[in-house]
Amino acid sequence: MNIGIIGLGLIGGSIAIDLKNKGSDWRVVGADQNPAHAAQALALNMVHEIRPISDVIKQADLIVVATPVNSLIHLIPEILSQINDHQTVVDVGSTKWPVVQATEQHPKRARFVAAHPMAGTEYSGPHAAVPDLFVHKCCVLCNPRDSAPDALDTARNFFELLGMRIVALDAREHDLHVAYVSHISHIASFALALTVLEKEREENRIFDLASGGFSSTVRLAKSNPDTWTPIFQQNRDHVLDVLDEYINTISRFRTLLIKRDFNTFHQLIRHANDIRRIIG
Amino acid sequence: MNIGIIGLGLIGGSIAIDLKNKGSDWRVVGADQNPAHAAQALALNMVHEIRPISDVIKQADLIVVATPVNSLIHLIPEILSQINDHQTVVDVGSTKWPVVQATEQHPKRARFVAAHPMAGTEYSGPHAAVPDLFVHKCCVLCNPRDSAPDALDTARNFFELLGMRIVALDAREHDLHVAYVSHISHIASFALALTVLEKEREENRIFDLASGGFSSTVRLAKSNPDTWTPIFQQNRDHVLDVLDEYINTISRFRTLLIKRDFNTFHQLIRHANDIRRIIG
């Protein structure tokens, strides 16, 4: 099977690595509009070959589009206009409603499967790609009834091959869901990093940040703005709702400190501990 | 050398494990006011023996006090009243100014070294104790000129034996420092956990939280309220200052979303990326 991967960063690159490791059934052809990234992917032996995007679209049985979400909404309809009824297109973006809307009226809509493999790290580019990134993680397929059954099967088999669990979800529900479980975590981390960096500037000294739990909460603050700004742009309304709730909750802790109500403070922490039930 | 460890939870227990692994030069005697914890520590082979606190205070050359910070401020002065001039007492609490104040006028003040080994996990109790928790981490010794030179040497050698780097700091500076690098991270995590748990309750469904960066930012929300409430109580003023800055920074992201100013949003993320310089 010929797989074309457009965009060879963290996600596209990690997919390429896993497929190449699966053996000779898979021929992995890559494309990246950034020539340096394309050259890196080839040098790192992540793909069998690099081709122009137009060739990848012509030749691949399955076309995986792994570009930032602002590019997806233009690129997916363009690709759909160039393929035949035996080819399948999937995206891997973190927001799903905008790309579903952008393809809604397209005559080839049924060849497209809107997907979000929920895996990643705070790093980006071909050098960030790692094997087995997707194993045991969740892949959301959105509005599956808008895809042809055979396209859906191709996408499902593909993500299962990567080791993922498949979940079907309405695109708008998905976008609200990720505002809670991913997007707000990123803003919390960015703000934490900025708060400490500002203090460091004022105090003109380096804090020892390797300890004290700071590293894990701030890890996501290393995330690429080119990837994340379009995600926040597309998911603005949901993120604003969650952000308001988050600010309210933080403000509750503030009020309890001001009132020195440490009994309620203790109860709130105990309640937060309940997250163990969900993340183990 | 006889080491007495009072409080055999995550920190005291992890110290005990490392010392016992260092070999026969160290005799590790433990005490814990919770009999279940004392029995667990013995069953887990973390200490050579368990003794009543009063015996530990009598026999140990170095007494390590690893109880919650609200207990420390009473326990340290009591211990100092019972020791001779060849014994040394160190604490390992996350706040330092309150315990420094509580011992300031004590006739045996010079036998005490106020210490904060900056290491930990989100778990608590003897079962949370792990080997090598402190290796390559930073240990802050506060107001070292208030300690006798030999007591300070004993404390320094002890934490270096655990693999730590030693930093000297004024107690008030330390408390401001940890408000930034540790305490605010905990509140950010607690609030994130509560925001998602509240949404989960409303929606009556389980989110898939294993992916999407949520787990790492919310890890600290599992932290023990008995450990952490007294820390926030003692460091209230600094935490409030940092919390205000954090809420302001979060609110900047909110305002940019409302105004759809994604250029500035992008710049803020890029600025936050600068945290790489500090945490690598």
Side-chain angles (χ1 to χ4, degrees):
Chain A
M1 195 176 185
N2 276 321
I3 308 266
I5 302 179
I6 299 172
L8 296 164
L10 166 69
I11 301 296
S14 297
I15 290 173
I17 290 172
D18 283 356
L19 289 179
K20 270 201 76 188
N21 289 343
K22 299 290 174 192
S24 56
D25 285 355
W26 306 89
R27 179 155 184 86
V28 185
V29 183
D32 200 301
Q33 65 160 11
N34 179 337
H37 281 190
Q40 281 167 27
L42 201 60
L44 291 165
N45 203 23
M46 285 159 49
V47 293
H48 290 102
E49 60 174 328
I50 293 290
R51 303 285 296 168
I53 292 187
S54 55
D55 288 8
V56 171
I57 296 170
K58 251 177 243 152
Q59 293 164 9
D61 303 301
L62 172 62
I63 300 162
V64 179
V65 189
T67 63
V69 296
N70 53 331
S71 135
L72 278 183
I73 54 174
H74 307 292
L75 196 50
I76 299 281
E78 281 173 32
I79 294 171
L80 288 176
S81 299
Q82 296 172 55
I83 62 167
N84 64 44
D85 281 339
H86 304 289
Q87 291 176 283
T88 300
V89 181
V90 302
D91 81 317
V92 296
S94 294
T95 50
K96 296 268 67 78
W97 178 234
V99 75
V100 162
Q101 274 185 301
T103 51
E104 206 167 31
Q105 305 298 329
H106 198 287
K108 286 273 172 49
R109 169 65 180 90
R111 303 313 307 161
F112 172 55
V113 181
H116 181 198
M118 294 187 64
T121 72
E122 63 274 35
Y123 303 108
S124 58
H127 282 285
V130 287
D132 297 325
L133 180 63
F134 307 97
V135 176
H136 302 311
K137 302 286 170 59
C138 169
C139 182
V140 183
L141 302 185
C142 286
N143 300 22
R145 276 175 296 187
D146 295 343
S147 304
D150 73 296
L152 199 59
D153 279 350
T154 300
R156 188 190 308 269
N157 292 340
F158 168 72
F159 287 113
E160 284 179 351
L161 184 80
L162 298 177
M164 306 198 81
R165 288 176 292 116
I166 309 294
V167 173
L169 215 58
D170 170 80
R172 274 165 295 195
E173 265 188 62
H174 165 276
D175 287 6
L176 175 61
H177 174 107
V178 292
Y180 276 93
V181 304
S182 164
H183 303 173
I184 189 70
S185 289
H186 282 78
I187 293 186
S189 271
F190 294 139
L192 208 52
L194 290 169
T195 303
V196 169
L197 287 166
E198 177 60 22
K199 187 68 185 176
E200 186 209 22
R201 199 181 58 78
E202 279 173 21
E203 300 267 313
N204 199 23
R205 57 176 292 195
I206 305 285
F207 283 78
D208 187 320
L209 301 172
S211 345
F214 183 79
S215 297
S216 76
T217 35
V218 90
R219 177 176 72 81
L220 300 176
K222 303 181 199 169
S223 301
N224 190 338
D226 297 338
T227 306
W228 281 93
T229 306
I231 292 174
F232 290 113
Q233 192 162 7
Q234 291 192 358
N235 209 20
R236 168 188 182 264
D237 293 356
H238 289 136
V239 172
L240 268 176
D241 288 345
V242 183
L243 203 45
D244 281 345
E245 291 171 35
Y246 183 61
I247 292 171
N248 283 343
T249 310
I250 289 265
S251 302
R252 275 189 76 189
F253 281 99
R254 181 176 176 274
T255 304
L256 294 172
L257 283 177
I258 290 171
K259 297 200 289 186
R260 300 182 198 268
D261 179 356
F262 292 103
N263 285 330
T264 311
F265 202 98
H266 187 282
Q267 282 167 25
L268 268 191
I269 297 181
R270 185 171 293 286
H271 185 183
N273 283 173
D274 201 29
I275 203 71
R276 287 182 195 142
R277 181 168 54 77
I278 300 180
I279 64 169
Chain B
M1 193 175 186
N2 276 320
I3 307 267
I5 301 179
I6 298 171
L8 297 163
L10 167 68
I11 301 297
S14 297
I15 291 173
I17 290 172
D18 283 355
L19 289 179
K20 270 201 75 189
N21 288 345
K22 297 291 174 193
S24 56
D25 285 355
W26 306 89
R27 179 156 184 85
V28 184
V29 182
D32 200 301
Q33 66 160 12
N34 179 337
H37 280 190
Q40 279 168 30
L42 201 59
L44 291 165
N45 202 24
M46 285 159 50
V47 293
H48 290 102
E49 60 176 327
I50 293 291
R51 304 285 299 169
I53 292 187
S54 55
D55 288 8
V56 171
I57 296 172
K58 251 176 242 150
Q59 293 163 8
D61 302 301
L62 171 63
I63 301 160
V64 179
V65 189
T67 64
V69 296
N70 52 332
S71 136
L72 277 183
I73 54 174
H74 307 293
L75 195 52
I76 299 282
E78 280 172 34
I79 294 172
L80 288 176
S81 300
Q82 296 172 54
I83 61 167
N84 64 43
D85 280 339
H86 302 289
Q87 291 175 285
T88 300
V89 181
V90 302
D91 82 317
V92 296
S94 294
T95 49
K96 297 268 66 79
W97 178 234
V99 74
V100 161
Q101 275 186 300
T103 51
E104 207 169 30
Q105 305 298 328
H106 199 286
K108 286 272 171 50
R109 170 62 181 93
R111 304 312 309 160
F112 172 55
V113 181
H116 182 197
M118 294 186 66
T121 72
E122 63 275 35
Y123 303 109
S124 58
H127 282 286
V130 286
D132 297 325
L133 180 63
F134 306 97
V135 176
H136 302 313
K137 302 287 171 58
C138 170
C139 182
V140 184
L141 301 184
C142 286
N143 300 22
R145 275 174 297 188
D146 294 342
S147 304
D150 73 297
L152 199 58
D153 279 349
T154 300
R156 187 190 306 270
N157 292 340
F158 168 72
F159 288 112
E160 284 179 350
L161 184 79
L162 298 177
M164 306 197 82
R165 288 176 293 115
I166 310 292
V167 173
L169 215 57
D170 170 79
R172 275 165 295 195
E173 265 188 63
H174 165 276
D175 287 5
L176 175 62
H177 174 107
V178 291
Y180 276 94
V181 303
S182 164
H183 302 174
I184 189 69
S185 288
H186 282 78
I187 293 186
S189 270
F190 294 139
L192 208 51
L194 290 169
T195 303
V196 169
L197 286 167
E198 177 61 20
K199 187 67 185 174
E200 187 210 21
R201 198 181 58 78
E202 280 171 23
E203 300 268 313
N204 199 24
R205 57 175 292 195
I206 305 283
F207 283 77
D208 187 319
L209 302 171
S211 345
F214 183 79
S215 299
S216 75
T217 34
V218 89
R219 179 176 72 79
L220 300 176
K222 303 181 198 169
S223 301
N224 190 337
D226 297 338
T227 307
W228 281 94
T229 306
I231 292 173
F232 290 113
Q233 192 162 6
Q234 291 191 359
N235 210 20
R236 169 188 180 265
D237 293 356
H238 289 135
V239 172
L240 268 176
D241 288 345
V242 183
L243 203 46
D244 282 346
E245 291 171 35
Y246 183 61
I247 292 172
N248 282 343
T249 310
I250 289 264
S251 302
R252 275 190 77 190
F253 281 100
R254 180 174 176 276
T255 304
L256 294 171
L257 283 178
I258 289 170
K259 297 199 291 186
R260 300 182 196 270
D261 179 357
F262 293 103
N263 286 330
T264 311
F265 202 99
H266 187 282
Q267 281 167 25
L268 268 191
I269 297 181
R270 185 170 293 286
H271 184 185
N273 283 173
D274 200 30
I275 204 72
R276 287 182 195 141
R277 182 169 53 76
I278 299 181
I279 64 168

